[in-house]
Every structure is written in C-alpha cells, then in structure tokens.
Amino acid sequence: MRGLTISAHGGLERLELRDDLPEPSLGAETDVRVRVRAAALNHLDLFVVGGLPNVRIAPPWIIGSDAMGTIDAVGDAVSGLAAGDQVLVNPGLSDRSCEYCLAGEQPLCPRFGVLGEHVPGTMAELIVVPAANVLPVAADADPLEGAAFTLSTLTAWRMLVSRARVMAGEHVLIWGIGGGVALACLQICKLLGAYVTVTSRSDEKLARALALGADASLNSRGVDVGKEMRARTGKRGVDVVVDSVGDATWSQSLGALGRRGRLVTCGGTAGPMVTTDVRRLFWNQWSILGSTMGNDAEFAAVVEHFRHGRLRPTVDRVYDLHDARAAFERMEGGQQFGKLVVRMAP
Ligand SMILES: [Zn+2]
C-alpha cells in the first residue's frame, strides 16, 4: 500500500512516500475500512513532522488527518454503512466510555486523539477507523472538497456555534484569513448572519475573502488591530474575536473586544503564552473560550451542511500523492488561500 510517512522528526525532508506499507485490517467489529480518494493538509501535520511533546510515532508513521473515501469493508457490528458508501472521516478519536463521551462531548475525552497525530493518519490508500467516525455523503460528492472539509469546518463550527454562540447581527473579527479554519469561520459566520471583519497581511488574501462574503477587511501589517477595530466601531468594539495566533495578536484581540465580548481560540501558532489584564476581563465581562475539534453532534451538523452545499471548503491547490511534499512546502510558507488537497488515486 502507498502512503506518505515519516520515520523521524525534522523538516519536510523527512516526508517519505512509501509503497510497501501493510494494508490495515479491521481491528474491531465496530470498525470500517475506507479506501481514501483524497486527503488534505492541516497545520497539525507540520507539528507532527516536527515532533510534538508527549506524542510518539512508530515508524513508518502515516501522516494526515482529513480524508474522504469509499467504504471498502465493515465490521460485523456496524449497521447503516456498506461497502461502496462515500464517507467523510471525523479525525477525532475517543474512548466512547468516559463521562464526557457519554455526555456527547468527545473532544473532552481524557483519551482523545487525532488521526495522524495519535494513530496513523489518512494519507494512505486505506485507513481503518471506528464506524462512528464516518458519515455518508452523496455518491457524486467531490472527494477533493470532502477531504478539505472536515477538520477545519468541524473546528470552526464548535468555536463559533457551540462555544462563542455567535448570533445574527453580531460583529466577528477573524484573524489570518487564508487558513482552513479561518475560512471555515468566515463561511459559518455568514451562515449565522454575523458581520465579519477579516485580517491578513496580504491584500490579495483580503480581496479574495471579500469576494467570499467578508463584510470588511483589515491589513494587519503595522496596524494595532485592537485600536483600529475600536475606531471602526465607534469605540464599541466587536462581539467575538477568533484568535488562534496567540502571543503576537492576543492583546490586540482583547483591545478589539467590546463589552460582553468573547475571544475564542483553537491554537497558538505564533506562541502559546499570552497576557490578559484581569481588570479589563471582569469589568467588560469578557469570556475567553478554548475549543478543539468537535463532538459527534457537531460533526453531523457540519456534514449536513456539506450535503446541502451550504458549507463548502475553499480548495487552494490539489497535488498528486507523489508530489505531496510540495503541498507541505506551500503550507509551511503560508502561501495558501484555502485547503491543500492530496489526491490519492487518479
Ligand atoms: Zn471518553
């Protein structure tokens, strides 16, 4: 079986396409095996290649968290799915038995893991996952869009709908438009009827975001985004800020936030340690919300929007598996606008 692997941590030169990987077989009667048609990159893959604390890989380690494919085998205890079904794969894995899982909050599971990070990933011809991690889509759904959809959209959905509870008419500020999660946040905000300001340091990316429905744009290069947003809103500030940058943007995000504002984050790509003035936090009655991945109900909700074409990922470029390293180089350089997709089969 072919797959994109690493056998040691380091730079992108560690990526290795292999054609001698063993085909995975069903590990439990609740598993399904999926023939992957397309997989997509996430920033997480760069962290996996570079090495994450407390995460150990067994070489050759298949990377990748997102996939769409065709069911190829189902375990004896699986119902409602059959060989030949087209499915989207939820990359979040949980034990399905702890108090959080039983309450339907799988991302809080103490044993939560992600395909490609804690177990072998999706950039291979075949993957085995629990049946609970796949949902069917139409037979003619585009596998390139399907692969680009899940992790970003699921993450964005939980951040905005479940955590920040964005309402119609609210003003949402989204940092760094161009990444998969930020673009999914923009689409979801428009679906919810929010007013959206996006930031980027690239005028080209801002123009593309406006074409996708953003209401306002702000080039953050050399600008205090907090002060600028207060000026633009007559000192009121915005209702919600999506900030997964971290140290470099945090104080500006708080500066932009109005009374009863919510700052929601799913990462700290530019530095994890941030400073918050607690006096402003309590006086303005802010909420600082963490979020990661999504639960089964949130997965079902975003897949339903995918089926109806209401949420569609922006695909930046598509690569063949043998050329996948070029996709990683493009992501490492931050050049992409939307998702980078790897086509597994011609
Ligand atoms: Zn659990």
Side-chain angles (χ1 to χ4, degrees):
M1 170 177 95
R2 294 197 309 154
L4 189 67
T5 68
I6 53 171
S7 290
H9 295 299
L12 296 183
E13 75 285 353
R14 298 289 190 189
L15 290 169
E16 183 186 15
L17 177 61
R18 296 182 63 137
D19 59 8
D20 60 347
L21 301 170
E23 291 193 351
S25 45
L26 298 177
E29 57 184 12
T30 50
D31 283 346
V32 295
R33 190 165 77 165
V34 177
R35 184 164 292 279
V36 177
R37 296 178 68 194
L41 279 68
N42 291 284
H43 210 86
L44 174 62
D45 300 316
L46 292 180
F47 292 133
V48 172
V49 174
L52 282 160
N54 306 318
V55 177
R56 296 190 55 180
I57 61 161
W61 186 260
I62 300 164
I63 58 169
S65 300
D66 268 328
M68 174 168 160
T70 310
I71 291 194
D72 154 273
V74 297
D76 291 339
V78 174
S79 59
L81 293 166
D85 286 352
Q86 300 298 314
V87 292
L88 298 187
V89 177
N90 178 352
L93 300 163
S94 55
D95 62 15
R96 302 198 167 268
S97 59
C98 73
E99 62 172 302
Y100 305 102
C101 287
L102 294 177
E105 282 286 52
Q106 291 82 16
L108 295 172
C109 180
R111 278 171 288 278
F112 192 73
V114 179
L115 286 178
E117 181 180 0
H118 304 98
V119 300
T122 57
M123 286 194 194
E125 290 176 290
L126 291 165
I127 57 171
V128 168
V129 292
N133 279 71
V134 303
L135 283 174
V137 293
D140 62 353
D142 181 354
L144 304 175
E145 282 197 355
F149 182 72
T150 309
L151 192 149
S152 292
T153 316
L154 182 60
T155 301
W157 185 269
R158 184 172 175 86
M159 290 173 85
L160 296 170
V161 176
S162 308
R163 302 291 285 139
R165 296 174 181 267
V166 171
M167 309 288 283
E170 287 194 311
H171 191 161
V172 181
L173 173 68
I174 301 171
W175 279 96
I177 202 70
V181 173
L183 282 165
C185 282
L186 169 58
Q187 279 200 359
I188 292 166
C189 282
K190 295 318 296 175
L191 199 64
L192 296 169
Y195 180 96
V196 182
T197 299
V198 296
T199 82
S200 171
R201 296 197 288 183
S202 156
D203 285 331
E204 188 199 333
K205 290 185 180 183
L206 292 171
R208 295 182 69 177
L210 290 169
L212 286 174
D215 298 285
S217 66
L218 171 53
N219 191 317
S220 58
R221 192 181 291 268
V223 172
D224 183 321
V225 169
K227 281 186 181 155
E228 176 64 20
M229 291 311 297
R230 295 198 87 78
R232 288 188 181 192
T233 56
K235 297 186 183 172
R236 178 189 180 277
V238 304
D239 300 293
V240 173
V241 179
V242 179
D243 180 349
S244 295
V245 182
D247 176 47
T249 54
W250 192 263
S251 63
Q252 296 177 65
S253 291
L254 295 178
L257 209 54
R259 290 167 189 271
R260 204 168 53 190
R262 292 91 80 197
L263 190 163
V264 62
T265 180
C266 69
T269 50
M273 302 308 287
V274 297
T275 304
T276 302
D277 183 338
V278 72
R279 297 165 299 184
R280 298 185 63 212
L281 173 65
F282 79 74
W283 188 251
N284 293 298
Q285 306 201 34
W286 288 335
S287 300
I288 293 174
L289 303 165
S291 193
T292 198
M293 304 292 286
N295 65 27
D296 286 358
E298 290 154 348
F299 179 50
V302 296
V303 171
E304 187 62 10
H305 284 300
F306 179 85
R307 289 178 183 133
H308 290 93
R310 291 187 292 255
L311 292 176
R312 292 179 65 188
T314 302
V315 174
D316 177 75
R317 286 190 190 176
V318 179
Y319 297 79
D320 287 319
L321 181 57
H322 66 80
D323 201 23
R325 189 188 294 178
F328 281 82
E329 286 165 356
R330 185 164 170 80
M331 184 167 64
E332 193 173 56
Q335 297 158 295
Q336 79 278 15
F337 186 88
K339 299 294 288 184
L340 298 155
V341 177
V342 175
R343 190 190 287 122
M344 297 302 300

